[in-house]
């Protein structure tokens, strides 16, 4: 039973985190005022000023929650939705533990990727489907685990039974079904799988599910949509409702989803998914003429731009972070590594590159910025010209004096700003009377801006904007077909437009005001994006199964086919999914415009919001913890009970951390009954222990540019009182003391490519100082640091480690420590310890192989190490003691995925001991199983 519990606990930890978005603790300042719209179905919590957005979301959910026909189930439970408007990240999530949703309200510039629907609408119709999923998956065995362990119990059961491809594929189907767009109607969305089929990449099912460190594999969103769409198309609108009900209920205990699919489709799981792939392959047969891309490692070449006869672009790969490249002929030259950014977009004029980079707020995790950088391609020198702004897709004027950028405000409004290119000063804001959302603006002449725009309904056009008056001249019809990446050259505007089943290259000519489709007889890649033009050539980026690649073609080899503008208004293909036009189709366009009461949201509402019981086994300790977190992510609380098998003691504990202030405040108390020690005669001595504590810590994020920098420091006060029992109650009575525990941790690292085990350059430092305050004397100081350096090959890494521990000689208090003792030895806590070590990490293989949809092996990596620890101490008679502990060995680490969803690393270590193990077993060889932890946040 013990081993079963430990294995079950491992499964718990893996699956609980496998389908969750990382929530940010204490990410908003206390000055932020929260409002709410509270109905029977939902509570929308939002910063003051977003009343209309909150009302729209409330109306949307009330409308799509009760359609004429349900396709996932009828169970309903109220949810809290938190709107975050101060981050530049475009995302959202729904989570259990606690049951809540968060919307990040900043829209993305790239409409091809996520669509052009109004961003709050897009988030709502996708994320509320997840709410409906969780509500209707609380059945059968999943409900039993919910009753026993709370919301995380249901999350464990749901994630173990229902794969992540269904959660996201079903949500994408829903957004495509209830709107006139959605990702299922975008050609970009299919490019990943189309490229694999086109280029003859026949990957195994487990590789498609788990990804790869060496090859491009599409994520589970398009995979899920194709399977869900095929199921709805072939077996009706109730198919997935029946399948997921049986799976979540565990009608079959093993492989419940696969067996439910077989039950309701009549086909086994393998046949079902193969039929789904074949269904969509037929939709693209006419565009898959021949294979022209040879197998190769993943490499991206993006956003080409002519600079004279040279081409500048961004290059990245699984071995290399994004960097600016200038190329002439076949000769490439690196300009500079790009600052960390949310995308790789940039523009260039006369050798001056302009782009936007990401920067977080030093303290508040829900606040970050998009700042404009100016880079000289000739010498690689860069300057930041805006500070703490939210600017996107900047372009620089022909004379190099002005910059136009999209300003996305926290109130949801969008504007074009004209800036001084030298210092970033705001010169003017272009009026926006039509409330457009601008994407990828470009200077055109002295007083015109060309931009792809979205209107308030989500329709897109190519528009000419007067830089002084804001007057709009629409160059193309308004439609739900996506437009982007405009480029102006002489009297012609080139742009990409979703057309039929592809993202094609078009142009608009001012002289005759005509639209043209650019045709080129080439089967290389999918889509034509990010075009740039000079007198003789056109260059664009196209997607292949090995990443984005540049295609340069002479103008004389291109055919310009005139296109009737009316055809631009015709929606893209439904890719054969006719069921999208049936049940609940286009619900988005009949939503009522009801008004709601807006009230203050109290920050103390359900402050101790207990939601789950979590078991933990670390023999001899067996713990049950009641977990709590409020909806605003400002207070975390834990109430725990621990049984120690060795001592047979019982501990009750409470801990809480409040993160809405600066610094964090933490407090707690532990009370242990029947602790046991021994006296000089080795007879048991029993006592009860009381240990309250309180502390503060300051987490800071100084990341900027090409590196990430984190600093966290704080202190904790601990009081310990031991009340002895039995015959020792009078002789010893109560013993108490107090001490402080102080810490500082620092991490600095550059960006890391996918295949790199560690960053090429990084440093970590941790300091810890503990000191007694009352009744006893004692102190301990520990410093531990690591330096990460590049190895001999590109993805190899050298790690140097050094540590020092020193403490007082009174021996009245023996503080615990995390000193990194030489590997292989049984360690003890000496008066003074020095340690240094060296590691060489390198990959061995990328197997991309798995077993039974349970275990998948992504990478095998190795580490050769040498450790040397030197200790000094004193015997009881006062004589000095010193010893060396040196070891060397090797570690093999397996980077794996379990159940196609949860990442885990499992390792094996062999250590050879050069010195005697004074506190452990005899012999020189040691074998250990290790679970390595990645200390880096990026």
């Amino acid at each position: 039973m013990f081993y079963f519990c430990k294995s079950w606990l491992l499964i718990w930890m893996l699956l609980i985190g496998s389908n969750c978005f990382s929530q940010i603790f204490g990410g908003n300042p206390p000055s932020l005022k929260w409002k709410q719209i509270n109905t029977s179905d939902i509570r929308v919590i939002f910063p003051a000023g977003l009343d209309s957005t909150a009302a729209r979301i409330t109306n949307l959910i009330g409308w799509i929650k009760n359609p004429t026909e349900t396709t996932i189930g009828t169970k309903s439970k109220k949810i809290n939705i938190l709107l975050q408007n101060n981050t530049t990240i475009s995302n959202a999530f729904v989570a259990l533990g606690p049951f809540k949703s968060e919307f990040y309200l900043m829209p993305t510039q790239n409409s091809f990727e996520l669509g052009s629907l109004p961003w709050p609408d897009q988030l709502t119709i996708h994320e509320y489907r997840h709410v409906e999923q969780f509500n209707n998956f609380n059945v059968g065995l999943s409900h039993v685990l919910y009753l026993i362990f709370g919301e995380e119990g249901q999350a464990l059961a749901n994630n173990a039974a229902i794969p992540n491809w269904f959660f996201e594929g079903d949500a994408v189907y829903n957004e495509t079904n209830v709107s006139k767009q959605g990702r299922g109607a975008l050609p970009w969305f299919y490019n990943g799988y189309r490229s694999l089929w086109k280029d003859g990449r026949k990957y195994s099912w487990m590789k498609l599910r788990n990804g790869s460190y060496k090859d491009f594999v599409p994520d589970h969103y398009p995979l899920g949509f194709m399977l869900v769409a095929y199921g709805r198309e072939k077996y009706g609108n109730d198919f997935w409702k029946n399948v997921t009900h049986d799976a979540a209920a565990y009608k079959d205990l093993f492989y419940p989803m696969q067996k439910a699919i077989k039950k309701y489709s009549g086909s086994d799981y393998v046949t079902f998914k193969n039929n789904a792939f074949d269904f969509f392959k037929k939709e693209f047969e006419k565009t898959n003429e021949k294979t022209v891309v040879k197998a190769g490692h993943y490499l991206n070449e993006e956003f080409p731009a002519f600079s004279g006869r040279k081409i500048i672009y961004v290059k990245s790969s699984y071995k290399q972070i994004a960097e600016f490249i200038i190329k002439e002929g076949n000769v490439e030259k690196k300009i500079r590594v790009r600052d960390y950014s949310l995308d790789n977009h940039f523009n260039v004029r006369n050798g001056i590159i302009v782009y936007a980079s990401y920067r977080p707020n030093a303290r508040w995790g829900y606040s970050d910025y998009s700042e404009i950088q100016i880079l000289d391609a000739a010498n690689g020198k860069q300057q930041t010209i805006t500070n703490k702004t939210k600017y996107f897709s900047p372009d620089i004027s022909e004379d190099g004096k002005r910059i136009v950028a999209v300003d996305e405000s926290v109130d949801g409004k969008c504007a074009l700003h004209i800036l001084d290119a030298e210092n970033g000063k705001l010169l003017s804001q272009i009026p926006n009377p039509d409330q457009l959302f601008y994407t990828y603006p470009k200077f055109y002449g002295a007083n015109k801006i060309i931009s792809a725009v979205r209107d308030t309904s989500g329709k897109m056009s190519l528009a000419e904007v007067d830089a002084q008056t804001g007057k709009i001249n629409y160059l193309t019809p308004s439609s739900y077909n996506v437009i982007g990446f405009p480029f102006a050259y002489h009297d012609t505007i080139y742009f990409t437009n979703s057309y039929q089943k592809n993202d094609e290259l078009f142009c608009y000519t001012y002289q005759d005001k005509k639209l043209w489709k650019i045709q080129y007889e080439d089967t290389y890649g999918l889509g034509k994006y990010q075009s740039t033009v000079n007198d003789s050539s056109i260059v664009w980026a196209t997607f292949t199964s090995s990443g984005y690649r540049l295609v340069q073609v002479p103008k004389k080899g291109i055919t310009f086919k005139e296109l009737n503008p009316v055809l631009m208004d015709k929606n893209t293909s439904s890719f054969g999914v006719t069921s999208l036009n049936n049940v609940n189709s286009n619900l988005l366009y009949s939503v009522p415009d009801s008004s709601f009461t807006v009230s203050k949201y109290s920050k103390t509402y359900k402050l101790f919001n207990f939601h789950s019981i979590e078991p933990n086994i670390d023999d001899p300790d067996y713990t049950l913890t009641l977990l709590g977190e409020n909806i605003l992510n400002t207070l975390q609380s834990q109430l725990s009970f621990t049984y120690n098998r060795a001592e047979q003691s019982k501990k009750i504990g409470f801990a809480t951390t409040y993160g809405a202030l600066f610094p964090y405040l933490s407090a707690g108390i532990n009370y242990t009954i029947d602790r046991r020690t021994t006296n000089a005669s080795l007879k048991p001595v029993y006592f009860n222990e009381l240990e309250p504590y309180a502390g503060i810590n300051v987490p800071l994020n100084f990341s900027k540019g090409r590196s990430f920098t984190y600093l966290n420091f704080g202190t904790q006060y601990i009081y310990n009182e031991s009340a002895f029992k039995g015959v020792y109650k009078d002789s010893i009575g109560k013993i108490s003391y107090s001490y402080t525990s102080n810490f500082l941790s620092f991490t600095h690292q550059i960006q890391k490519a996918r295949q790199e085990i560690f960053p090429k350059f990084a440093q970590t430092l941790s300091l810890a100082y503990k000191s007694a305050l009352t009744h006893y004397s004692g102190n301990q100081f520990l410093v531990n640091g690591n330096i990460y350096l590049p190895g001999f090959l590109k993805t190899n890494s050298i790690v140097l480690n050094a540590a020092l521990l020193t403490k007082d000689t009174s021996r009245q208090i023996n503080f615990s420590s995390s000193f990194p003792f030489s590997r292989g030895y049984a360690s003890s806590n000496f008066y003074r310890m020095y340690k240094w070590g060296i590691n060489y990490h390198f990959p061995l293989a990328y197997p991309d192989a798995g077993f039974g949809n349970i275990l998948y092996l992504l990478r095998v990596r190795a580490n050769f190490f040498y450790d040397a620890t030197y200790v000094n101490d004193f015997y009881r008679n006062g004589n000095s003691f010193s010893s060396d502990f040196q070891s060397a060995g090797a570690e093999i680490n397996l980077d794996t995925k379990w159940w196609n969803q949860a990442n885990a690393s499992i390792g094996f270590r062999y250590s050879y001991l050069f010195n005697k193990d004074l506190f452990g077993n005899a012999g020189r060889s040691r074998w250990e199983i290790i679970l390595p932890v990645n200390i880096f946040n990026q």
Side-chain angles (χ1 to χ4, degrees):
M1 182 63 179
F2 168 70
Y3 291 105
F4 169 77
C5 287
K6 292 199 74 172
S7 300
W8 189 84
L9 182 64
L10 175 62
I11 296 171
W12 174 286
M13 292 186 294
L14 290 175
L15 291 178
I16 284 298
S18 67
N19 202 32
C20 298
F21 190 86
S22 178
Q23 300 183 44
I24 299 173
F25 179 64
N28 288 305
S31 59
L32 186 62
K33 306 301 181 184
W34 293 98
K35 302 291 185 179
Q36 67 173 342
I37 294 177
N38 189 13
T39 72
S40 59
D41 298 324
I42 59 168
R43 177 186 286 107
V44 181
I45 307 163
F46 55 94
L50 294 181
D51 302 50
S52 60
T53 301
R56 172 64 178 176
I57 291 171
T58 305
N59 275 309
L60 260 172
I61 290 176
W63 188 248
I64 65 176
K65 178 181 177 293
N66 297 302
T68 57
E69 186 171 342
T70 63
T71 57
I72 196 69
T74 58
K75 298 184 69 173
S76 179
K77 179 181 178 181
K78 185 173 179 175
I79 189 169
N80 296 287
I81 300 176
L82 190 61
L83 306 185
Q84 304 286 0
N85 67 333
N86 210 22
T87 174
T88 60
I89 296 171
S90 305
N91 214 322
F93 69 89
V94 177
L96 290 170
F99 185 43
K100 61 176 289 188
S101 179
E102 291 192 16
F103 291 5
Y104 297 178
L105 293 178
M106 189 70 69
T108 180
Q109 284 281 293
N110 189 349
S111 305
F112 294 97
E113 184 176 11
L114 296 175
S116 61
L117 295 176
W119 189 237
D121 290 13
Q122 172 81 5
L123 294 179
T124 303
I125 60 180
H126 181 94
E127 299 303 327
Y128 195 73
R129 187 62 169 189
H130 291 318
V131 175
E132 294 177 317
Q133 290 165 353
F134 283 128
N135 284 339
N136 286 282
F137 295 167
N138 189 11
V139 293
L141 183 58
S142 295
H143 184 63
V144 171
L145 289 187
Y146 170 79
L147 294 176
I148 298 174
F149 296 107
E151 292 175 5
E152 288 192 358
Q154 181 190 341
L156 166 68
N158 286 174
N159 289 330
I162 300 172
N164 58 1
W165 63 252
F166 177 81
F167 279 95
E168 297 301 346
D170 180 56
V172 171
Y173 186 97
N174 190 68
E175 73 185 52
T176 312
N177 181 205
V178 304
S179 75
K180 294 181 180 179
Q181 195 184 76
R183 273 169 280 186
L186 301 178
W188 176 296
F189 187 66
Y190 298 91
N191 278 350
Y193 273 93
R194 286 181 64 185
S195 69
L196 298 186
W197 300 334
K198 184 177 190 298
D199 298 335
R201 303 292 182 95
K202 298 179 180 179
Y203 295 152
S204 69
W205 170 249
M206 289 198 70
K207 184 166 181 173
L208 294 177
R209 287 290 288 117
N210 293 281
S212 171
Y213 277 107
K214 62 179 181 179
D215 299 314
F216 165 74
V217 177
D219 64 27
H220 55 285
Y221 282 76
L223 171 64
F225 175 80
M226 288 189 293
L227 296 180
V228 169
Y230 173 75
R232 290 276 289 267
E233 189 76 12
K234 181 72 173 179
Y235 302 106
N237 293 308
D238 289 336
F239 175 71
W240 290 112
K241 177 168 63 176
N242 297 330
V243 167
T244 54
H245 178 275
D246 284 11
Y250 286 83
K251 293 290 183 68
D252 288 282
L253 188 59
F254 299 102
Y255 299 102
M257 187 77 167
Q258 290 89 326
K259 292 182 179 179
I261 287 175
K262 183 176 182 179
K263 175 181 176 181
Y264 291 103
S265 72
S267 301
D268 61 70
Y269 191 54
V270 173
T271 301
F272 177 86
K273 60 97 174 173
N274 287 337
N275 289 342
F277 285 161
D278 290 340
F279 176 86
F280 282 94
K281 284 180 182 178
K282 291 178 181 178
E283 288 297 308
F284 303 111
E285 281 180 349
K286 292 182 180 180
T287 60
N288 294 342
E289 291 87 354
K290 61 181 180 178
T291 300
V292 296
V293 177
K294 296 181 180 179
H297 293 300
Y298 188 71
L299 171 68
N300 280 326
E301 299 168 331
E302 298 177 86
F303 293 98
F306 279 111
S307 182
R309 297 177 58 184
K310 302 176 182 179
I311 298 177
I312 297 175
Y313 56 96
V314 174
K315 183 178 181 179
S316 61
S317 72
Y318 285 168
K319 294 184 179 181
Q320 175 62 53
I321 58 178
E323 56 188 16
F324 290 103
I325 298 293
I326 187 166
K327 182 178 181 180
E328 185 172 14
N330 294 320
V331 179
E332 291 185 342
K333 181 182 177 182
K334 173 183 171 182
I335 300 173
R336 185 186 189 272
V337 169
R338 182 188 175 101
D339 284 6
Y340 181 74
S341 306
L342 297 179
D343 63 25
N344 285 329
H345 173 269
F346 75 96
N347 279 302
V348 61
R349 294 284 179 96
N350 302 318
I352 301 299
I353 296 170
V354 59
Y355 71 100
S357 66
Y358 173 84
R359 180 183 177 185
N361 183 285
R363 168 61 182 88
W364 307 109
Y366 283 114
S367 178
D368 46 60
Y369 314 103
S370 185
E371 301 176 334
I372 294 182
Q373 310 294 331
I374 294 290
L375 171 62
D376 191 328
N379 55 31
K381 292 183 179 180
Q382 182 172 294
Q383 177 187 1
T384 303
I385 65 167
T386 68
N387 184 46
K388 295 186 176 181
T389 53
K390 298 184 189 298
Y391 285 135
F392 300 88
S393 303
D395 184 42
I396 190 166
S397 62
E398 189 66 36
D399 60 9
K401 295 182 178 180
R402 296 175 299 156
I403 289 173
V404 60
V406 179
D407 176 70
E408 298 188 34
S409 175
V410 295
D411 61 5
K413 296 180 180 179
C414 182
L416 290 178
H417 284 192
I418 306 297
L419 311 174
D420 189 312
E422 185 176 349
N423 53 31
K425 180 181 178 181
L426 177 63
L427 300 177
S428 64
Q429 176 176 322
I430 299 176
N432 185 10
D434 293 346
Q435 301 180 47
L436 300 173
F437 182 82
Y438 301 101
T439 67
Y440 304 117
K442 296 288 190 298
F443 280 107
Y444 184 64
N447 296 307
K448 302 291 184 182
I449 306 293
I450 300 297
S451 176
V453 298
R454 311 177 199 164
D455 65 20
T456 54
S457 69
K459 290 185 176 183
M460 294 201 73
S461 305
L462 185 67
E464 176 194 83
V465 185
D466 189 295
Q468 295 178 338
T469 66
K471 182 180 178 181
I472 300 292
N473 177 25
Y474 295 99
L475 308 181
T476 65
S478 179
S479 78
Y480 286 105
N481 296 330
V482 174
I483 293 179
F485 310 122
F487 180 82
Y489 190 74
H490 296 325
D491 74 334
T492 304
I493 310 299
Y494 298 83
F495 61 96
T496 301
N497 185 80
S498 295
Y499 184 73
Q500 296 178 352
K501 298 181 182 180
N502 298 293
D503 293 325
E504 299 284 2
L505 188 59
F506 291 79
C507 69
Y508 174 87
T509 50
Y510 268 96
Q511 184 176 5
D512 51 16
K513 294 181 171 48
K514 290 184 178 181
L515 284 170
W516 308 84
K517 181 176 179 293
I518 294 176
Q519 299 185 144
Y520 180 68
E521 294 300 325
D522 185 11
T523 59
Y524 187 79
L526 296 166
K528 298 178 177 66
Y529 307 103
Q530 309 153 10
S531 63
T532 186
V533 184
N534 66 9
D535 286 337
S536 60
S537 301
I538 299 180
V539 180
W540 61 75
T542 189
F543 191 79
T544 76
S545 60
S546 296
Y548 285 98
R549 301 300 169 88
L550 299 186
V551 175
Q552 182 172 359
V553 299
K555 283 186 175 178
K556 62 183 180 181
I558 290 174
T559 301
F560 291 79
K561 179 182 178 181
E562 185 178 355
L563 190 72
N564 187 335
V566 174
L567 297 178
M568 301 284 287
D569 192 30
K570 185 178 179 181
N571 286 351
T572 56
S573 171
S574 62
F575 302 99
V577 187
T578 60
S579 59
L580 287 168
N581 302 317
N582 298 332
V583 174
N584 304 328
S585 176
N586 296 330
L587 283 178
L588 185 63
Y589 305 100
S590 54
V591 178
D593 187 21
S594 302
S595 59
F596 301 93
T597 300
V598 175
S599 60
K600 178 183 177 182
Y601 180 79
S602 173
K603 296 180 181 180
T604 61
Y605 177 73
K606 288 190 176 181
L607 202 58
F608 296 97
N609 181 35
F610 292 105
H611 54 76
S612 304
I613 296 176
E614 187 174 280
N616 184 46
I617 299 174
D618 187 12
D619 192 61
D621 289 327
Y622 295 73
T623 303
L624 286 177
T625 303
L626 181 62
L627 301 175
E629 183 172 12
N630 66 330
I631 300 302
L632 293 180
N633 303 331
T634 55
L635 188 93
Q636 294 176 341
S637 46
Q638 298 182 0
L639 183 62
S640 62
F641 174 80
T642 301
Y643 175 75
N644 184 283
R645 180 184 56 82
E647 286 188 353
Q648 297 184 341
S649 62
K650 286 75 68 179
K651 180 171 70 175
I652 299 172
F654 175 76
T656 186
T657 302
Y658 187 65
L661 299 176
F662 192 75
Y664 287 177
L665 305 178
S666 60
I669 186 170
N670 294 314
Y671 184 69
T672 308
I673 303 170
D674 294 336
R675 285 213 62 185
R676 184 176 66 185
T677 185
T678 56
N679 60 14
S681 302
L682 300 181
K683 292 184 178 180
V685 177
Y686 293 92
F687 62 97
N688 296 340
E689 183 180 62
L690 177 69
E691 191 173 69
Y693 58 88
I696 61 173
N697 73 284
V698 180
L700 297 170
N701 186 348
F702 295 119
S703 301
K704 185 180 180 181
R706 293 174 288 184
S707 61
F708 307 100
T709 305
Y710 307 95
L711 175 67
N712 191 11
F713 59 91
T715 185
Q716 192 173 68
Y717 171 84
I718 301 99
Y719 173 81
N720 184 287
E721 180 181 278
S722 300
F724 287 83
K725 303 166 67 176
V727 297
Y728 299 97
K729 182 177 181 180
D730 295 325
S731 59
I732 300 179
K734 291 184 178 180
I735 296 177
S736 65
Y737 65 93
S738 62
Y739 67 96
T740 61
S741 178
N742 312 284
F743 72 92
L744 180 148
S745 64
F746 172 82
T747 299
H748 173 266
Q749 68 168 91
I750 66 171
Q751 300 171 62
K752 184 172 76 73
R754 181 177 177 84
Q755 286 189 3
E756 290 178 335
I757 299 170
F758 297 107
K760 285 186 173 66
F761 294 99
Q763 307 84 40
T764 68
L765 177 68
S766 63
L767 304 174
Y769 179 71
K770 298 177 181 179
S771 178
L773 297 178
T774 59
H775 298 138
Y776 298 96
S777 64
N779 62 76
Q780 177 178 279
F781 175 71
L782 170 66
V783 57
N784 184 20
N786 296 279
I787 297 176
Y788 296 78
L789 301 169
F792 298 111
L793 299 178
K794 203 161 190 176
T795 58
N796 296 7
S797 183
I798 298 171
V799 184
L800 307 177
N801 170 250
L804 164 68
L805 183 142
T806 180
K807 61 181 182 177
D808 70 291
T809 58
S810 67
R811 299 180 185 272
Q812 293 184 10
I813 298 179
N814 187 27
F815 293 110
S816 61
S817 80
S818 55
F819 183 84
F821 212 82
S822 293
R823 279 163 279 195
Y825 290 95
S827 63
S828 185
N829 202 352
F830 295 98
Y831 156 66
R832 185 159 292 165
M833 298 190 288
Y834 312 85
K835 187 255 180 171
W836 72 274
I838 184 169
N839 302 265
Y840 192 88
H841 296 267
F842 57 98
L844 289 175
Y846 300 97
D848 286 348
F851 170 75
N853 285 314
I854 297 175
L855 173 64
Y856 186 78
L857 184 56
L858 286 156
R859 177 172 61 185
V860 181
R861 51 190 172 89
N863 174 37
F864 292 137
F865 67 86
Y866 174 81
D867 291 339
T869 301
Y870 310 98
V871 305
N872 302 113
D873 214 315
F874 301 93
Y875 293 105
R876 292 187 180 275
N877 60 12
N879 293 334
S880 63
F881 162 81
S882 63
S883 185
D884 297 347
F885 300 87
Q886 301 178 64
S887 65
E891 298 171 341
I892 301 294
N893 291 286
L894 310 178
D895 294 328
T896 66
K897 268 194 176 182
W898 292 79
W899 290 278
N900 299 320
Q901 294 188 195
N903 290 299
S905 292
I906 300 173
F908 308 90
R909 178 189 296 141
Y910 169 75
S911 304
Y912 180 82
L913 311 187
F914 294 99
N915 308 101
K916 184 179 180 181
D917 190 356
L918 299 179
F919 307 98
N921 298 323
R924 298 286 187 178
S925 295
R926 296 287 188 274
W927 292 93
E928 299 171 89
I929 299 176
I930 55 175
L931 296 174
V933 177
N934 183 5
I935 64 172
F936 293 101
N937 295 322
Q938 301 295 328

